[in-house]
Structure formats: structure tokens, C-alpha cells
DNA sequence: CAGTATCCCATCAGATACTG
DNA sequence: CAGTATCTGATGGGATACTG
């Protein structure tokens, strides 16, 4: 099977390709509760650059996971929200979060009081 | 929090760091049913090179997700199996697989008859 | 069989400057 | 505010040859 010159031999591969990479799942995680603007995402995601943020948002948009809402005002206002397909990923990301928590406990990794995951 | 010079602000970030990257989750997926040898993994994972396979296996081993079992025989025999922590990830990977399947259906992506995901 | 070791190129990603 | 453009260094990753 092929999409955009990419060949997949299975659904799992398709899924990891869509939400893979260094930042994509973190962007989705940050959008899990509500709509966010560019500036908010940049503040909430540690160490992401504007370039990477824009790039990842565009790719998520192309994949139909995130929707970009442009308000024709000055100064510019743009919001990003999960699509229906994107929202269906959130429970899976929560499971991953929980796995990470258990892993941290079993490996005596201490996150301290504020392991809030951006916004929990 | 810090491990190996890496800083995490949340459990989710920790989780995605451990199983992230281009190959790691695919390696885990391939090990989901049973123990596999180096050669089997190379055959089952499309396009992975020996270099990448070894590299990813070592990192998964260091993270305590995969165990490496060496049999002192000639010719060499090495098996890779999931640890308890690794096995706990499998249900999550299945959810991701199912999400990919639904995504493919909603986007009219046709995998044909044999979208077996390496070995389902 | 199960790897290592090199070489080398392609892509990723940070820093900086600029714009509607 | 929400980006784009460009330059450059870092990292990822393929090809090939070799080893216990």
C-alpha cells in the first residue's frame, strides 16, 4: 500500500508513521483538553522551536489529525484543535502516560511533585 | 528530572522517549507474540538495516524493555524477548494498530488482503 | 549466525533574521 | 501574533567490508 510515496505493510506502521517523530505525539498531548494557539503550544512544549512546531502542526493537519482555525483579525489569531480522528488517539496517549508513570516508579525515577505533563 | 543527561517534565515524555524513534515500536511489535532471533527480526521488519536493528535493540535493552538471551553455542544463537515492562506496552500498541486500521478505513486507504502487520 | 567498524550522505533541527 | 526564509551544525541511517 502506498500514500505520499510511503509504503506500509500494516496498520501499525501507518499509525506510528502518522504520530511518530520527536514532537507529534507531544503536540497532540498538549491539545488533549482544548484548543490552543501557536504561542501557547510553544510555551507548553519544552524546547520546541517555532520552526519545528509549525512543521509538525502542518503534517498533523495534512494527516487530518489536527484542524487549523484562522480568525481574520489583526493581530492574527490561529487556533489548533484535534479532529475526531485526533481525539480518538487521546485515550491511547493516556495509557502511554500511565505506562510511563509505572515505569518511572519501578525504576526509581523520581519526578518530584510537579510531573504534570504540561497540563494534566 | 534527569536520566542519561535527558530531562523530562512528565511521564508521557518519558514514555515516548523510550519507545520513540523510527524503529523501536516496530521492534516491540514484532516481539509481541514470542521470542525472536536477530535474523528473524531483520526479515520481519521491512527495510531495517543490521546497524539500526542492533542499535535499537541495545537501547531497548538498556531501558529494560527487551531482554537479550545469549546461548553459548556455535554458530551463535541470540534471542530477544520482551521483559515484563515491555509486555505491558503491547496492549497499547494493539490499540494504536486498531486506530490505524480505522484511520485507513475512514481515509479510504486500501491495504488489500494482506495487511498482516508482519505477523498479527 | 550475529554481530562490529567505517565511510559518507541525507535529513533533522537549532539559531537568527525578517514579514503580513 | 503567527508565522516564513535561510544558513549551518548535529544526527540519522545506508552501504560495504570484516570478525568471533
Amino acid at each position: 500500500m502506498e500514500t505520499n510515496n510511503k509504503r506500509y505493510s500494516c496498520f501499525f506502521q501507518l499509525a506510528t508513521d502518522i504520530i511518530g517523530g520527536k514532537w507529534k505525539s507531544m503536540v497532540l498531548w498538549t491539545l488533549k483538553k482544548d484548543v490552543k494557539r501557536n504561542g501557547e503550544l510553544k510555551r507548553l512544549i519544552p524546547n520546541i522551536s517555532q520552526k519545528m512546531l509549525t512543521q509538525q502542526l502542518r503534517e498533523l493537519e495534512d494527516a487530518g489529525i489536527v484542524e487549523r482555525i484562522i480568525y481574520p483579525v489583526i493581530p492574527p489569531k490561529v487556533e489548533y484543535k484535534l479532529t475526531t480522528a485526533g481525539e480518538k488517539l487521546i485515550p491511547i496517549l493516556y495509557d502511554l502516560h500511565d505506562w510511563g508513570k509505572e515505569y518511572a516508579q519501578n525504576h526509581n525515577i523520581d519526578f518530584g511533585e510537579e510531573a504534570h505533563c504540561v497540563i494534566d
Side-chain angles (χ1 to χ4, degrees), chain A residues 2-18:
Chain A
E2 191 166 346
T3 308
N4 302 333
N5 299 324
K6 287 175 183 175
R7 213 167 268 276
Y8 302 103
S9 54
C10 78
F11 300 124
F12 180 74
Q13 222 180 352
L14 172 66
T16 56
D17 192 65
I18 292 173

Side-chain angles (χ1 to χ4, degrees), chain A residues 17 27-29 56 58 61 69 101-102 105 108 114:
Chain A
D17 192 65
V27 171
L28 297 175
W29 182 249
Q56 305 308 306
R58 293 298 174 276
E61 199 187 346
I69 305 165
K101 188 171 181 177
E102 189 180 338
Q105 287 166 350
N108 292 322
E114 44 241 87

Side-chain angles (χ1 to χ4, degrees), chain A residues 4-117:
Chain A
N4 302 333
N5 299 324
K6 287 175 183 175
R7 213 167 268 276
Y8 302 103
S9 54
C10 78
F11 300 124
F12 180 74
Q13 222 180 352
L14 172 66
T16 56
D17 192 65
I18 292 173
I19 67 160
K22 188 173 177 182
W23 299 111
K24 290 205 182 66
S25 63
M26 192 56 164
V27 171
L28 297 175
W29 182 249
T30 309
L31 291 173
K32 65 186 180 302
K33 295 263 185 183
D34 49 70
V35 168
K36 294 265 186 304
R37 298 178 63 176
N38 177 78
E40 298 179 278
L41 290 170
K42 222 166 59 179
R43 271 187 296 98
L44 292 168
I45 302 174
N47 300 324
I48 197 167
S49 66
Q50 177 63 55
K51 178 185 172 182
M52 282 300 104
L53 179 56
T54 302
Q55 195 174 104
Q56 305 308 306
L57 283 168
R58 293 298 174 276
E59 290 179 15
L60 290 168
E61 199 187 346
D62 290 345
I65 307 300
V66 163
E67 187 186 356
R68 186 162 175 249
I69 305 165
I70 306 171
Y71 296 89
V73 297
I74 292 185
K77 178 176 178 179
V78 176
E79 286 179 343
Y80 295 95
K81 68 173 290 195
L82 297 176
T83 63
T84 307
E87 282 171 0
K88 287 177 183 165
L89 276 167
I90 299 303
I92 303 175
L93 300 186
Y94 268 107
D95 287 343
L96 213 51
H97 167 270
D98 294 344
W99 180 88
K101 188 171 181 177
E102 189 180 338
Y103 179 91
Q105 287 166 350
N106 291 336
H107 289 72
N108 292 322
I109 300 175
D110 185 21
F111 276 73
E113 295 299 318
E114 44 241 87
H116 300 320
C117 285

